């Protein structure tokens, strides 16, 4: 008996939507399961005030349809969540994607059946389906985590995680609000809350190096110019390691005179977007002296912007250098701490002991709140996989297989899990997402087309192929300061059991090299894979 579907895709974010579009073009019978009630993934869930791109909107756009590029006007240089959600809904409408998506459907388990070379997929409500190919487009930042603090359920006021923000407006007017966490979401949220809050207390464990976003409207004229240069914009993104419009400066930090360096950093700091991170001297990620200099530059900026020197010091990271974790971009974040009604609590000095019915008790004080906001981030990269009971040949559990770190072939396939293909899986190259996603999805679609044309019904990574790729991924991470720091990019999340130690979670050899590897495998007729 043939399976119910040629392909099941898990997730209807940027990745899942485009994968659906591509597989439909191959004439396949496809179903998407999405646990949310709408399309958009990240941009469906994260509705917290201030949620927006750190990528330039016009670089985050899909490039596969000329018509889509022609008809969509981005309103802001860094679009807010509502704008992006509208965009992804527009894409779903335009390409008639919605009829293949089953919303409010969480995939709880998936099991490979060798007899039929297919997957059994079970939803959490018990419904079951079968499919030849299982495609995970589950997102690398889509499994939110709560901190492990006693008494959380006892709090009597409303509390929210930024990821699960409600659709209805939430008023902070006159309220005493606590924000726990100072990662990228918190850095976007805090200035918005501060605008109307009665009193805001921010609980910080690890400060991040943040830099100004410099958002602005995109005028009609500018949009016309952008539209006229889309091919160059995409080409430029594809040449850069992270698929961003900002390309690293080829010079080394210490090659440049102190005056010139300072002027360069001032210029980057004053420019919109990730330039200060992705367009900086290339050695700030590898050379400790270079990194210390740029960190010192950003620290001086923080000291200039935060009036109270003691607060400024708390906001300056001491356990990692600038750019070695994802840099949150901000709009007046540091100035928030100059307000008389905003307090920063350093959890290294006074850890939280418990959440009480009326607020938060630290080792130093007891605070009363009307609302608590958890901006405590995600169980990144493998979190969404871990939440599904995925079992390959002989019932082997994927989570168990990856216990000591992910092992994949090109971030797409896993040995022992035939016909499971991952979009933006672990050990793939991350970066400005849609740029990376389009490549990844096209690669997966081409492999499936290749298989279907040859009546291949089983695709599996080989142990040797996985070993080679894993080794290469680990090698490319060598010497990168990034990998010497605890962060979601190195698989550390102190709120998740078993994620206390660093692992190599992503490919850090840059997108152009990643593509070279993947292109070579395709050009070679996928001979590194076991096809049957
Ligand atoms: C607040 C925030 C801001 C960001 N800003 C940027 C940015 O500026 N630039 C950038 O490049 N990237 C950014 N990212 C990264 C962002 O996640 C990607 O840009 C992109 O949206 C990911 O798309 P995706 O489709 O791969 O995953 P997601 O958008 O995460 O979509 C995955 C979907 O899978 C669904 N899903 C997961 N598991 C299951 C299951 N078991 N059953 C059913 N459905 C499931 C989820 O509900 C979700 O809808 C940001 C992330 C966050 C959280």
């Amino acid at each position: 008996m043939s399976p119910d579907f040629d392909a099941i895709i898990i997730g209807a974010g940027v990745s899942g939507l485009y994968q659906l579009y591509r597989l439909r073009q191959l004439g396949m019978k496809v179903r998407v399961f999405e646990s949310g009630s709408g399309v958009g993934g990240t941009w469906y869930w994260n509705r917290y005030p201030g949620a927006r791109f750190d990528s330039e909107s016009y670089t985050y756009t899909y490039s596969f349809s000329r018509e889509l590029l022609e008809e969509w006007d981005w309103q802001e240089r860094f679009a807010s969540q509502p704008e992006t959600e509208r965009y992804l809904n527009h894409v779903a409408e335009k390409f008639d994607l919605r009829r293949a998506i089953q919303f409010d459907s969480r995939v709880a388990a998936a099991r490979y059946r060798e007899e039929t070379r297919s997957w059994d997929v079970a939803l959490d409500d018990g419904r079951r389906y079968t499919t030849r190919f299982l495609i995970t487009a589950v997102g690398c930042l889509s499994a939110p985590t709560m901190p492990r603090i006693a008494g959380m359920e006892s709090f009597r006021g409303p509390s929210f995680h930024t990821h699960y923000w409600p659709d209805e407006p939430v008023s902070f007017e006159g309220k005493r609000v606590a924000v726990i966490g100072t990662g990228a979401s918190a850095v976007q949220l805090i200035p918005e809350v501060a605008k109307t809050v009665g009193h805001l207390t921010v609980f910080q464990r690890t400060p991040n190096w943040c830099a100004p976003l410099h958002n602005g409207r995109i005028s009609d004229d500018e949009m016309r110019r952008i539209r006229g240069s889309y091919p160059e914009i995409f080409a430029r993104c594809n040449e850069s390691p992270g698929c961003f419009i900002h390309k690293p400066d080829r010079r080394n930090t210490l090659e440049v005179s102190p005056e010139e360096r300072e002027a360069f950093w001032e210029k980057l700091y004053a420019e919109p977007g990730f330039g200060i991170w992705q367009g900086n001297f290339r050695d700030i990620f590898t050379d400790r002296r270079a990194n210390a200099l740029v960190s010192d530059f950003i620290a001086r900026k923080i000291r200039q912007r935060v009036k109270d020197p003691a607060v400024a010091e708390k906001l300056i990271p001491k356990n990692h250098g600038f750019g070695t974790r994802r840099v949150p971009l901000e709009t007046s974040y540091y100035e928030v701490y100059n307000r008389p009604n905003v307090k920063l609590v350093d959890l290294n000095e006074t850890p939280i002991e418990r959440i009480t019915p009326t607020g938060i008790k630290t080792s130093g004080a007891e605070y009363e709140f009307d609302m608590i906001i958890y901006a405590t981030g995600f169980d990144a990269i493998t979190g969404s996989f871990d939440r599904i009971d995925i079992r390959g040949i002989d019932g082997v559990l994927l989570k168990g297989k990856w216990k000591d770190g992910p092992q994949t072939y090109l971030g797409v396939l896993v040995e022992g899990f035939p016909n499971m293909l991952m979009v933006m899986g672990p050990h793939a190259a991350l970066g400005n997402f849609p740029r990376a996603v389009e490549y990844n999805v096209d690669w997966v679609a081409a492999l499936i087309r290749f298989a279907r044309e040859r009546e291949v019904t089983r695709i599996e990574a080989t142990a040797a192929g996985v070993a080679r790729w894993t080794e290469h991924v680990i090698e490319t991470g060598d010497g990168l300061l990034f990998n010497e720091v605890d962060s979601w990019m190195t698989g550390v999340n102190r709120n998740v059991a078993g994620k206390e130690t660093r692992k190599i979670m992503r490919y850090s050899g840059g997108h152009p090299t990643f593509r070279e590897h993947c292109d070579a495998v395709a050009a070679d007729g996928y001979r590194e894979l076991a096809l049957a």
Side-chain angles (χ1 to χ4, degrees):
M1 210 170 71
S2 42
D4 301 334
F5 298 103
D6 297 322
I8 281 179
I9 300 169
I10 314 176
V14 172
S15 301
L17 289 176
Y18 183 49
Q19 189 69 73
L20 168 61
Y21 172 80
R22 273 288 176 243
L23 296 189
R24 276 248 196 92
Q25 282 185 325
L26 299 181
M28 291 169 68
K29 190 175 170 203
V30 186
R31 172 71 54 89
V32 178
F33 293 119
E34 166 55 57
S35 57
S37 310
V39 300
T42 292
W43 308 106
Y44 163 82
W45 290 104
N46 294 271
R47 296 164 185 273
Y48 61 84
R52 63 173 65 252
F53 286 152
D54 285 341
S55 298
E56 284 74 7
S57 311
Y58 49 86
T59 69
Y60 194 100
T61 202
Y62 286 120
S63 71
F64 68 86
S65 159
R66 220 192 136 68
E67 212 179 274
L68 178 62
L69 290 171
E70 287 298 328
E71 71 195 13
W72 186 263
D73 284 348
W74 288 101
Q75 304 297 315
E76 286 184 277
R77 184 175 287 274
F78 302 94
S80 65
Q81 175 273 331
E83 188 178 353
T84 308
E85 192 189 15
R86 264 199 314 279
Y87 171 69
L88 293 170
N89 272 283
H90 172 72
V91 171
E93 288 303 325
K94 181 176 177 67
F95 300 102
D96 189 23
L97 301 178
R98 223 179 277 279
R99 68 186 158 86
I101 307 173
Q102 196 169 309
F103 295 105
D104 305 305
S105 299
R106 169 169 292 281
V107 173
R111 188 181 180 117
Y112 179 69
R113 296 273 171 220
E114 194 65 91
E115 319 82 80
T116 46
R117 296 183 169 180
S118 65
W119 282 85
D120 289 353
V121 173
L123 303 188
D124 61 0
D125 62 9
R127 281 177 289 174
R128 287 170 183 280
Y129 307 85
T130 56
T131 178
R132 170 76 65 222
F133 293 107
L134 176 68
I135 300 182
T136 62
V138 290
C140 71
L141 294 170
S142 59
T145 49
M146 291 294 276
R148 296 192 267 189
I149 308 174
M152 284 197 306
E153 59 305 322
S154 72
F155 182 63
R156 284 202 290 263
S159 53
F160 309 100
H161 188 290
T162 46
H163 174 84
Y164 290 121
W165 202 265
D167 210 4
E168 314 76 57
V170 174
S171 167
F172 311 111
E173 196 96 35
K175 297 209 167 85
R176 296 164 303 173
V177 176
V179 174
I180 302 179
T182 50
S185 297
V187 164
Q188 292 186 331
L189 167 94
I190 286 167
E192 292 301 315
V193 176
K195 283 180 184 165
T196 54
V197 78
H199 192 278
L200 170 65
T201 309
V202 176
F203 292 88
Q204 170 184 275
R205 190 171 62 186
T206 313
N208 277 292
W209 296 100
C210 311
L213 176 70
H214 297 301
N215 190 24
R217 307 290 304 174
I218 297 180
S219 68
D220 292 348
D221 256 8
E222 199 181 351
M223 195 59 229
R224 253 192 303 281
R225 276 198 301 279
I226 289 170
R227 192 168 279 124
S229 50
Y230 268 133
E232 294 81 48
I233 291 171
F234 297 138
R236 191 178 159 88
C237 289
N238 283 344
E239 284 164 14
S240 79
C243 294
F244 288 99
I245 194 89
H246 313 277
K247 276 208 274 189
D249 193 291
R250 304 305 298 167
R251 296 170 298 172
N252 283 329
T253 308
L254 288 141
E255 256 168 56
V256 176
S257 73
E259 297 72 33
E260 203 179 329
R261 219 156 49 208
E262 192 76 5
F264 177 57
W265 286 335
E266 285 290 353
K267 176 176 154 294
L268 291 179
Y269 199 78
E271 281 174 0
F274 273 145
I276 187 80
W277 186 33
Q278 298 286 321
N280 214 312
F281 298 120
R282 61 182 176 167
D283 62 345
I284 64 162
F285 303 114
T286 50
D287 181 332
R288 279 174 215 289
R289 284 177 310 159
N291 189 269
L293 286 169
V294 70
S295 300
D296 178 62
F297 173 84
I298 306 288
R300 278 185 277 131
K301 287 289 178 200
I302 298 172
R303 289 188 189 106
Q304 281 162 17
R305 291 174 60 184
V306 178
K307 287 194 189 125
D308 180 336
V311 176
E313 283 320 301
K314 286 187 179 143
L315 289 165
I316 296 171
K318 306 291 187 305
N319 65 354
H320 67 284
F322 175 78
T324 60
R325 301 173 103 199
R326 187 217 196 261
V327 173
L329 294 183
E330 46 85 24
T331 305
S332 307
Y333 172 65
Y334 290 110
E335 286 73 13
V336 162
Y337 296 98
N338 297 333
R339 293 177 182 237
N341 62 340
V342 176
K343 180 178 171 66
L344 179 68
V345 176
D346 184 343
L347 295 179
N348 299 303
E349 290 171 2
T350 54
I352 294 180
E353 288 182 346
R354 60 180 301 110
I355 309 278
T356 68
T358 53
I360 296 178
K361 183 174 180 329
T362 69
S363 62
E366 190 152 355
Y367 301 88
E368 298 220 323
F369 295 114
D370 302 307
M371 183 189 294
I372 299 178
I373 302 174
Y374 295 95
T376 44
F378 301 91
D379 182 0
I381 302 183
T382 47
S384 291
F385 290 92
D386 291 351
R387 291 177 188 204
I388 308 173
D389 188 66
I390 301 178
R391 288 176 190 270
I393 297 170
D394 296 333
V396 170
L397 185 64
L398 183 65
K399 187 177 173 180
K401 192 169 174 87
W402 285 352
K403 156 167 84 39
D404 299 322
Q407 293 180 41
T408 77
Y409 183 66
L410 307 176
V412 177
L413 289 127
V414 184
E415 189 229 347
F417 294 74
N419 294 354
M420 182 182 92
L421 301 153
M422 302 179 290
V423 182
M424 304 307 290
H427 287 184
L430 299 177
N432 189 16
F433 251 73
R435 306 278 59 76
V437 163
E438 284 189 333
Y439 179 80
N440 199 166
V441 163
D442 288 346
W443 197 91
V444 165
L447 171 59
I448 291 180
R449 190 184 56 223
F450 181 93
R452 283 165 61 90
E453 282 168 359
R454 287 158 184 78
E455 293 184 8
V456 163
T457 50
R458 191 182 188 284
I459 303 175
E460 190 186 358
T462 63
V466 169
R468 260 198 303 281
W469 182 249
T470 307
E471 204 175 301
H472 172 64
V473 171
I474 290 168
E475 261 169 26
T476 57
D478 258 7
L480 280 180
L481 299 176
F482 248 115
N483 293 325
E484 297 173 15
V485 168
D486 288 355
S487 78
W488 65 258
M489 296 209 187
T490 51
V492 175
N493 185 328
R494 281 191 270 159
N495 296 323
V496 182
K499 301 226 164 160
E500 295 88 5
T501 52
R502 276 177 228 151
K503 296 182 182 84
I504 300 288
M505 300 298 280
R506 64 188 186 114
Y507 181 70
S508 35
H511 234 272
T513 316
F514 178 74
R515 286 196 304 268
E516 266 172 37
H517 280 279
C518 299
D519 285 348
V521 171
D524 191 38
Y526 307 98
R527 280 194 297 162
E528 271 209 350
L529 293 174
L531 304 178

